[in-house]
Amino acid sequence: MAILITGGCGYIGSHTCIEMLDAGYDIVVIDNYYNSKPEALRRVKEISGKEFPFYECDIRDAEGLRKVFSAHKIEAVIHFAGLKAVGESVREPLMYYDNNVAGTVVLCQVMAEMGCKRIIFSSSATVYGTGNPSPLKEEMPTGAVTNPYGRTKFMIEGILADLCVSDPEWSAVLLRYFNPIGAHESGHIGEDPNGIPNNLMPYISQVAIGKLQKLSVFGDDYDTPDGTGVRDYIHVVDLARGHVKAVGYALEHNGVEAINLGTGVGYSVLDLVNAFKSANSVDVPYAIAPRRDGDVATCYSDPAKAAALLGWKAEKNVEDMCRDTWRWQSQNPKGYDE
Ligand code: NAD
Ligand code: UFG
């Protein structure tokens, strides 16, 4: 019996592979390398000291998926595969609906056909949209999203919920991630964004290493303690461990559950810049810039449901997140391209 990990070569997927292997699970990984490189899984094998099967396969390729499900007894699927760039989704909405939504439909069709009805899905705090106050709780209304990427997450949550209603054998855990940052403490795997990063932490670390000149802080006039945006940053290894717990839960329970994975604590942009500087004794030049379209002032989780249902809570602090990001960045200035 094995767990299939789609998109397992990516940032969160590669860290989850390690935690799943450490927890004693057999895994099978698929990825189409759209946003990742084979080197990531080579390093996962090196760190874990374990081998596992990998298939270069697109989740929209039903025939390819059938081969994987026929070759292995798959008990459950952790489904990371998807596109995640908010700005790109505004420019290329059909690409996002095709890859994320249609891809998930094909995956679920093949799963049902092959008798595997347990899925852990990578959702996002973005489904809470603009109308809810933090701390965000799972029972709050969702769907007031501000871009096509967020809409794919909202739509897929609905599709998986419908599936669980239609057939009581299905189990779907919708994990709503807050802001994953950090890297494996070995410094051998981490986030390797293409081009100029969109997200705060990879931007900070590329400024610190001198690849980028200075950070633009998007707005200092929000209604927050220092005026800059507040987010719930979570260490990617904590997040990965949340998936291990979610697999255990999905193997024991049917039906659908949405669960936040966050720390419950908010840090501002300047808090994170200062934490990074002091954890790593590096400079991070920045300048205040206009607000970025679509950003909310404050977004952090209520993590109580994850504690109650999964017995999981984040254990690493912001200093760990900053130190581990820097170890990865400084040991791999070109990411996996060495
Ligand atoms: P990532 O891009 O590093 O990983 C996604 C992986 O999926 C990549 O390796 C990519 O090549 C693969 N992939 C994409 N489309 C595919 C397809 N059609 N078939 C097969 N493989 C495909 O991203 P990540 O940060 O690891 O995110 C993983 C998941 O978590 C995504 O679904 C993302 O939307 C979600 N998520 C991420 C964040 C974040 O801030 N990183 C926040 C909330 C949710
Ligand atoms: N920020 C800057 N400068 C930058 C980049 C970001 O000031 O160069 C600020 C943003 O304005 C925001 C904070 O840093 O206040 C965090 O921004 P990120 O882009 O790192 O993260 P977001 O919270 O905007 O978005 C993330 C994921 C999305 C996901 C969302 C869910 O990238 O995929 O969380 O809330 F949908």
Side-chain angles (χ1 to χ4, degrees), residues 132-281:
N132 293 303
S134 289
L136 294 160
K137 297 178 199 292
E138 291 82 352
E139 63 271 20
M140 286 176 169
T142 53
V145 292
T146 53
N147 55 71
Y149 164 73
R151 201 173 324 280
T152 68
K153 295 297 179 190
F154 175 67
M155 289 170 76
I156 295 166
E157 285 202 358
I159 290 167
L160 295 176
D162 288 344
L163 203 48
C164 290
V165 170
S166 75
D167 177 350
E169 287 181 6
W170 271 90
S171 168
V173 182
L174 315 173
L175 295 178
R176 295 178 179 161
Y177 310 158
F178 283 71
N179 289 55
I181 61 172
H184 191 263
E185 65 174 10
S186 64
H188 294 322
I189 62 166
E191 188 171 11
D192 182 19
N194 277 327
I196 296 176
N198 296 309
N199 297 118
L200 180 60
M201 187 52 128
Y203 208 106
I204 289 177
S205 63
Q206 292 197 11
V207 168
I209 204 150
K211 242 175 150 172
L212 296 168
Q213 252 188 346
K214 65 169 188 268
L215 171 73
S216 295
V217 174
F218 297 142
D220 68 348
D221 56 353
Y222 285 107
D223 183 16
T224 60
D226 65 15
T228 68
V230 167
R231 296 290 182 277
D232 184 340
Y233 297 97
I234 171 168
H235 197 296
V236 66
V237 170
D238 275 333
L239 191 73
R241 290 177 181 157
H243 290 73
V244 176
K245 297 286 192 179
V247 168
Y249 182 85
L251 293 175
E252 301 282 315
H253 299 82
N254 294 358
V256 65
E257 287 293 348
I259 304 178
N260 289 339
L261 292 184
T263 65
V265 182
Y267 286 91
S268 75
V269 176
L270 295 181
D271 287 337
L272 198 65
V273 168
N274 290 329
F276 195 90
K277 282 161 66 168
S278 70
N280 300 312
S281 307

Side-chain angles (χ1 to χ4, degrees), residues 6-14 30-37 57-60 79-85 98-100 103 121-126 149 152-153 175-181 191-192 199 236 239 243:
T6 76
C9 202
Y11 171 47
I12 306 170
S14 55
I30 66 170
D31 203 297
N32 67 356
Y33 291 137
Y34 180 84
N35 194 36
S36 52
K37 306 202 175 76
C57 176
D58 194 296
I59 53 165
R60 292 164 294 183
H79 177 31
F80 292 109
L83 306 179
K84 62 164 184 177
D98 179 43
N99 197 86
N100 294 8
F121 172 61
S122 298
S123 190
S124 166
T126 198
Y149 164 73
T152 68
K153 295 297 179 190
L175 295 178
R176 295 178 179 161
Y177 310 158
F178 283 71
N179 289 55
I181 61 172
E191 188 171 11
D192 182 19
N199 297 118
V236 66
L239 191 73
H243 290 73

